[in-house]
Amino acid sequence: MRLGFGPAAVVLGALSLSASSVLIVLAGTSSVTTAFWRCFFAVVLLAPLLVREIRRHGRPDGRTVVSGLLAGLCLGADFLMWNISIGDVGAGISTVLVNMQVVLFPLLVRFVTGVRLPRRFVVALPVLLASVTLAGGLVGPTPVGENPLRGTVLALAAALGYSGYLYFNRGSGVRSPRHFVTPVFLASASAGALAAVVGVMTSGIGVDLPIRAWIALAFVALTGQALGWLLIGWGLPRLAPALSSALLLLQPIGAELLAIAVLGQIPTALQVTGCVLVLVTVWLLARGGAERTASRA
C-alpha cells in the first residue's frame, strides 16, 4: 500500500497541535476566554471550507450534525479544564496527561455500550496510575506548575471530555467520509457556545486583550484546531492504525520540548520518567488494539 501524503499530514497535524499549550500560556488569558476565542477564530477560518465542502458533497445528514454538536460540548469541557491544568502542571506535562484519552476512551465505551474491556487495558491501569502520579509531580521534588494535584485531576478530566469528543465524532467518518471539515466546524461552534455560556455565568469573556494575546489565540485556533485537526482527519484514514497511534504521540513529545525551549518549564527527573511511562504504555495499548483489529480483518 502506498502511503503517499498520509504520514506527512498526520505528522504536521500532530506537531501543529503540540504548540497549543505553549501558545495558551503566552496568551495569558482566562480559561473561558481562551476556550471561546480559539473556537470563534476556528469557526471563522473553517467557514469558507465548510461552504466549499457542502457545495461539492451536499449537506451532511442529521445524525452527523447532532453527533458533531455533542462532540463539541465534550470538546468544550475538555478545553475549559485543560486550560486550567496547563497553569497547574505545566504546558508539556498537561499535554502528556490529556493523551490518557487512549485509555479513557475504551472505558467510556465500556460504560456506555457494555462492551468488555480487553485484558491489556485492565493490566495496564495500575501502571498508568503510577505513571500519572509521577508525571503530574504528585511525588518527589517540587515540580513545574502551581497546583500539581488539581492540574493532574483536571488534565485527566479533560482527557475524559476528549474521549467523549472521539466517541460522538467517530461515526461521522463512517457515515459521511467526504465531510471531514463539517465535524471540525460543528465541534468548534458547539465548544465555543459552551465556553460562552460558562463565561457569562462566571468570570465573563475577555475582549480588552493585549495584541500578544490576540496573536497567540489566533495561532491556537489555526494550528491547534483548524489546521491540526483537518490534517489529522485527512491523514488518519490513509494509514494503518499502529502507525497512526505512533505518529500522534509526536503531539505530547513536541509540547514537552516546546515547553522546555520556549517557557523554560523543565520537568523533574521523576516527571520525565512518568511521562515516558505514560507515552510508552499508551503507545503499546494503541498498537495492541490496532494489531487485534487487523487480525480480525
Side-chain angles (χ1 to χ4, degrees), residues 94-109:
S94 64
T95 307
V96 171
L97 294 178
V98 84
N99 274 268
M100 284 283 289
Q101 54 84 13
V102 172
V103 179
L104 295 177
F105 180 68
L107 292 175
L108 179 64
V109 173

Side-chain angles (χ1 to χ4, degrees), residues 244-297:
S244 301
S245 62
L247 294 180
L248 286 175
L249 288 181
L250 290 173
Q251 179 193 353
I253 294 172
E256 187 60 69
L257 294 176
L258 283 173
I260 294 172
V262 178
L263 304 176
Q265 294 182 346
I266 301 176
T268 66
L270 285 177
Q271 285 184 294
V272 172
T273 301
C275 288
V276 171
L277 287 173
V278 167
L279 294 177
V280 169
T281 306
V282 164
W283 178 74
L284 289 174
L285 288 173
R287 184 171 180 269
E291 290 176 348
R292 190 184 184 98
T293 302
S295 67
R296 291 176 177 174

Side-chain angles (χ1 to χ4, degrees), residues 24 30-32 78-90 94 146-147 150-151 154-155:
I24 288 171
S30 69
S31 177
V32 291
D78 167 21
F79 288 161
L80 291 169
M81 292 182 287
W82 185 54
N83 293 343
I84 299 173
S85 75
I86 290 172
D88 285 346
V89 294
S94 64
E146 303 170 354
N147 193 330
R150 185 181 69 173
L154 286 176

